[in-house]
Amino acid sequence: MIKFLSPAFLYALLLVAIPIIVHLFNFRRFKKVSFTNVRFLKELKQETTSKSKLKHLLVLATRILAVAFLVFAFARPVIPAAKRSNVRISEAVSVYIDNSFSMEAIRQDGTLLEVARRKAREIAAAYPPTTRFQILTADFDPVHQRMLSKEEFLDMADQIKISGNTRNLKEILGRQQEALNGIQPDGGIHYIISDFQANMNNGSFSSDTGQEIIFIPLRASAFSNIYIDSCWLSTPAIQINQPAELFIRVVNNGTDNAENIPVKVAVDGQVRGVATVLPEAGKNIITTVNFTITQPGWHQGEVSISDHPVTFDDVYYFSFEVKEAVNVIALNGHLPSPYLQALFGNSSFVKLSNTNFSQVDYSSLANNELLILNELPQITSGLSDELKKYLQSGGHVLVFPDSGADLSSYNSFFTSVNADLFSGINNNNDKVIRLDRNNELFSDVFKQNERKEGAIDYPVALKH
């Protein structure tokens, strides 16, 4: 009995109606020619019409057979081999070969991917030539969905390359079931060759009870993998022609201590600094690199190390913006603050502007990186809505409340932006105990002899 591997294509047999319709509606018009004597023409016409009908029928039959054969070819008819009671022959085998980045790991007989290819060839050699194979990788390439002969399977296995994709067991078994369920009544045999990283086990999976799933785990030899975990700038704003400090966290994920690992920092394609780290096994280390930017605008950065055998995590990319100046606007409830003027007045980097909160041009708020609410008696609903839009677009708001402010209007705004609330004025006399002198705000404030604790008589807050 003939079976079809892709029976869905049989619906295309309806296309045989097309040549039949063409044949039935072939209204060819013949040109009439007058003759004086048509006795001989009548006999010739009868013979030509008979041949023409036969020719049309043969063409119709040829077209119908061509369409039918094409549909049957896509439906893939097969004649199943006779079943033997004493021999179990698997008609369909699916082999998943993990080609994620972790398969670059090395052991004595080569990389894990090379070992996985050899395992796949050993699996194919254990089955008879009539067995159909499916090969699957983390790429889930559509070409891997079809069934292959043993020779095609071996050729395709040799072409597998490392990929950045990863799959969990649920996705892998689901894709294997799609290919095998229509071919093998019991679901066929599933092989999964992988190093089984933790992310492969994410998510639960279920399989048919008749399926046979064989896991082939691969393990790499002990090795040292050092990678760049993250990097960040010491300040949120970088100034032109001012040193910028970049912090870099390097992690040693291996079992051996590493020595003299160079960390290179490049900005806009030019090397700007190099540091050397000695990360211990299983730990991370933070190093710093200083560089200077001379042009405003967006800049592309790259932190890189040289580490083998795993190299895909040796480069870390980042970007940052350098502005010629930072615009700050103060919305004043009364007069401009002399303290803000003292803080920003002598700075060429910070451009401070003042305006009364009742006369503010809301459309200009987006042009400022920082907005200061300076002693506003209340935050109106209109101002609250504009402040929320400003915050949502990436702006920053600093609040100095007025001692006689309507705290309910403040708290209404704070609630809308998920900020802390004011409970009221505290009239206790609280003395300042210490200052965070490492903060950039105080970097140039104190003399060297004033940096010792107790050298300064700190002020007292009468109320806050």
Side-chain angles (χ1 to χ4, degrees):
M1 180 180 179
I2 297 178
K3 292 185 178 180
F4 294 94
L5 298 181
S6 302
F9 281 102
L10 294 177
Y11 289 107
L13 285 175
L14 297 175
L15 296 176
V16 300
I18 295 177
I20 297 175
I21 294 173
V22 173
H23 175 76
L24 294 177
F25 292 91
N26 187 17
F27 299 122
R28 183 177 177 183
R29 296 184 178 181
F30 297 92
K31 184 178 179 181
K32 294 182 180 181
V33 180
S34 301
F35 288 89
T36 56
N37 191 341
V38 296
R39 180 170 60 88
F40 298 105
L41 292 177
K42 286 181 179 179
E43 182 180 355
L44 180 62
K45 182 179 180 182
Q46 291 175 356
E47 183 180 356
T48 302
T49 302
S50 176
K51 290 182 178 181
S52 178
K53 288 182 178 180
L54 178 61
K55 178 181 178 181
H56 287 172
L57 291 174
L58 291 175
V59 171
L60 174 62
T62 303
R63 290 173 176 171
I64 292 175
L65 290 175
V67 173
F69 289 156
L70 186 61
V71 172
F72 287 137
F74 278 98
R76 302 164 65 190
V78 295
I79 300 176
K83 295 184 179 180
R84 301 177 184 178
S85 58
N86 59 341
V87 180
R88 184 183 186 275
I89 299 178
S90 177
E91 297 179 354
V93 176
S94 177
V95 180
Y96 173 80
I97 299 178
D98 188 359
N99 63 333
S100 60
F101 279 138
S102 62
M103 296 293 285
E104 282 186 312
I106 296 177
R107 66 186 208 179
Q108 293 181 350
D109 50 352
T111 65
L112 294 185
L113 182 58
E114 293 173 352
V115 176
R117 293 196 196 102
R118 290 199 294 270
K119 293 291 184 182
R121 288 192 285 269
E122 293 173 4
I123 292 172
Y127 289 91
T130 57
T131 305
R132 306 295 291 178
F133 293 90
Q134 180 210 23
I135 192 167
L136 193 63
T137 68
D139 297 318
F140 277 11
D141 196 317
V143 72
H144 294 158
Q145 191 69 5
R146 67 187 184 92
M147 303 304 294
L148 308 170
S149 65
K150 181 181 292 189
E151 292 75 15
E152 292 173 328
F153 173 82
L154 295 175
D155 290 340
M156 195 166 289
D158 291 335
Q159 299 172 11
I160 296 176
K161 305 295 182 183
I162 288 293
S163 169
N165 296 318
T166 59
R167 304 292 177 180
N168 58 42
L169 287 176
K170 181 179 180 181
E171 295 172 323
I172 296 169
L173 292 173
R175 184 59 68 96
Q176 289 181 319
Q177 290 173 6
E178 289 178 9
L180 299 188
N181 282 351
I183 302 173
Q184 190 82 355
D186 60 359
I189 297 181
H190 303 243
Y191 288 90
I192 299 179
I193 309 174
S194 172
D195 59 348
F196 294 98
Q197 295 289 316
N199 57 355
M200 179 175 279
N201 299 324
N202 292 339
S204 60
F205 69 93
S206 60
S207 60
D208 297 338
T209 55
Q211 292 177 344
E212 185 176 350
I213 304 174
I214 301 175
F215 298 97
I216 303 178
L218 304 179
R219 290 290 179 264
S221 303
F223 65 91
S224 177
N225 178 32
I226 301 173
Y227 64 92
I228 301 169
D229 176 78
S230 56
C231 67
W232 63 95
L233 292 163
S234 60
T235 59
I238 299 179
Q239 301 183 38
I240 299 175
N241 297 320
Q242 294 293 325
E245 187 176 29
L246 180 69
F247 291 88
I248 305 165
R249 177 181 284 113
V250 181
V251 178
N252 184 351
N253 199 32
T255 56
D256 299 323
N257 296 338
E259 295 183 359
N260 299 327
I261 301 296
V263 181
K264 183 172 62 177
V265 176
V267 178
D268 298 329
Q270 298 182 353
V271 177
R272 297 300 182 92
V274 178
T276 302
V277 295
L278 295 83
E280 298 180 7
K283 296 183 179 180
N284 67 78
I285 187 171
I286 297 176
T287 186
T288 59
V289 173
N290 295 318
F291 59 89
T292 302
I293 299 298
T294 59
Q295 298 293 331
W298 280 97
H299 299 270
Q300 307 298 323
E302 177 182 303
V303 182
S304 61
I305 60 175
S306 180
D307 173 53
H308 294 280
V310 181
T311 60
F312 72 91
D313 52 7
D314 289 352
V315 181
Y316 193 98
Y317 299 96
F318 65 98
S319 61
F320 58 93
E321 184 182 16
V322 177
K323 296 186 176 182
E324 295 183 1
V326 173
N327 297 319
V328 178
I329 183 171
L331 305 187
N332 301 307
H334 307 289
L335 297 175
S337 170
Y339 308 109
L340 294 177
Q341 190 63 36
L343 179 63
F344 297 127
N346 296 327
S347 174
S348 60
F349 182 62
V350 178
K351 305 298 183 183
L352 175 65
S353 60
N354 290 276
T355 184
N356 190 278
F357 82 103
S358 62
Q359 300 173 349
V360 62
D361 180 10
Y362 292 141
S363 62
S364 65
L365 296 182
N367 300 326
N368 299 273
E369 284 74 25
L370 176 62
L371 191 156
I372 301 176
L373 305 183
N374 179 39
E375 298 184 350
L376 270 59
Q378 63 176 347
I379 299 180
T380 63
S381 59
L383 177 59
S384 175
D385 292 338
E386 294 298 328
L387 291 176
K388 284 189 288 185
K389 294 179 183 178
Y390 173 75
L391 289 170
Q392 290 171 355
S393 63
H396 303 80
V397 176
L398 177 63
V399 180
F400 294 110
D402 184 66
S403 59
D406 177 12
L407 294 186
S408 62
S409 66
Y410 274 79
N411 288 337
S412 177
F413 165 67
F414 291 154
T415 301
S416 66
V417 295
N418 297 321
D420 292 334
L421 306 181
F422 286 147
S423 59
I425 295 178
N426 188 330
N427 292 305
N428 296 332
N429 293 347
D430 292 329
K431 183 178 178 62
V432 177
I433 299 176
R434 66 179 182 85
L435 295 178
D436 181 11
R437 301 187 190 188
N438 294 325
N439 191 294
E440 185 183 9
L441 184 65
F442 303 116
S443 60
D444 300 324
V445 173
F446 301 100
K447 296 179 181 179
Q448 189 65 30
N449 59 351
E450 295 175 345
R451 292 183 173 272
K452 298 180 180 179
E453 292 295 338
I456 300 176
D457 184 16
Y458 292 120
V460 174
L462 300 181
K463 61 180 179 179
H464 61 277

